[in-house]
Amino acid sequence: MTSRALTRSAPAALILTVALLAGCAPEPGSGPATSSLEQTAPAATATPTPLETRSVQAGGLPPAASGSVGSTTVIPRDCAGILGPAARTALANVPLNDPAFGEAGSLPDGSLRCVWADPGADTAKIVTTIAHAAENPVIDFMNELTAIGFTCYEPDAGVRCEKTWENERYPVTDGRTLYFRDGVLIDTQFSHLAPEGFTNGVIGSVWPAGAATPVAP
C-alpha cells in the first residue's frame, strides 16, 4: 500500500491512502472530465437537519462554503437526472424527496439535496448532497475522516473518501462516500440501499464525459 500527499493552496496536506475498498458501495471509479462553464457559488444559507449524520461512524457535517467559491462546475438542479442507468433502475420504486425527510431538491444556496427513502422504513435510504465548497476546509475535513477509518484516494481529477460499517440497530450495512473536485463536494450516505455504481453515475452527471477540463491557474 502506498501513500501520497494532496497539495493544498495553504500549508498542510491530506495524506491519502491509495486503495480501493473491496465490497464497498457505492463503488470507487473514475470520473469524466470537468465542465467548462464558469460559475461562482453563492454564499451558503441554513442547512436542513440531516438524517444522514446520525452515526458517529459517518463523521460530521462537511464544511459549508463561507462565501463565494470559484468553480467551473455547474451543480445539477434535478435529483432524478444525476443517476446513472443502473442506479435509476434500482431506485425506480423508491420514493424521492419525501417531505418527511426535510428540505430537498434544489436549495436556495445553490446546492442539491436528494433523498431516496421510504418514510415508513427504518433503514433502506440513500442521501446525496452536491454543493460548492472551498478546497482547504474540505481537505482538512477529509483528513479528519481518515482518523475514523475512511479510506481516501485520488481518482482522476478528484479526491474520494469512503467507508462502510454495520448499522447499530439492524443487521445491514451503512456507509458514506465523498468526492471533491473543482470546488464541488458530492456527499452520499446510505443505509441498506447502495446501488452498484451510484457515486460514479453522479460524478458522470456532474462532469460529463468529453467536457473540457479547465487549466489550473
Side-chain angles (χ1 to χ4, degrees):
M1 181 178 294
T2 60
S3 299
R4 56 180 175 176
L6 174 68
T7 302
R8 293 185 44 180
S9 58
L14 167 66
I15 303 301
L16 298 176
T17 302
V18 183
L20 300 180
L21 291 181
C24 178
E27 294 184 320
S30 59
T34 306
S35 168
S36 60
L37 181 61
E38 190 75 29
Q39 179 178 350
T40 299
T45 58
T47 302
T49 301
L51 68 121
E52 55 267 34
T53 53
R54 290 177 179 170
S55 173
V56 295
Q57 295 276 7
L61 288 171
S66 58
S68 63
V69 176
S71 176
T72 61
T73 299
V74 178
I75 292 178
R77 313 297 289 176
D78 173 44
C79 289
I82 68 173
L83 299 177
R88 187 177 298 112
T89 299
L91 297 173
N93 297 319
V94 180
L96 172 61
N97 295 343
D98 189 282
F101 298 115
E103 192 175 13
S106 183
L107 303 183
D109 65 357
S111 65
L112 182 71
R113 181 173 184 264
C114 308
V115 183
W116 287 270
D118 186 335
D122 290 332
T123 60
K125 66 176 181 288
I126 185 165
V127 184
T128 292
T129 300
I130 307 174
H132 285 100
E135 178 180 342
N136 288 354
V138 170
I139 291 176
D140 290 340
F141 177 66
M142 288 180 164
N143 194 33
E144 293 173 2
L145 292 180
T146 64
I148 60 170
F150 278 74
T151 295
C152 297
Y153 55 100
E154 298 179 65
D156 297 329
V159 183
R160 182 163 174 160
C161 294
E162 54 193 18
K163 176 185 175 181
T164 59
W165 59 90
E166 291 303 307
N167 186 281
E168 297 171 356
R169 295 182 59 193
Y170 302 99
V172 301
T173 299
D174 294 351
R176 185 178 190 182
T177 300
L178 303 98
Y179 182 86
F180 179 76
R181 177 177 173 180
D182 188 37
V184 171
L185 180 64
I186 300 171
D187 184 1
T188 297
Q189 294 189 47
F190 60 91
S191 178
H192 195 46
L193 184 62
E196 183 177 358
F198 178 90
T199 297
N200 289 343
V202 176
I203 292 170
S205 72
V206 178
W207 293 281
T213 302
V215 179

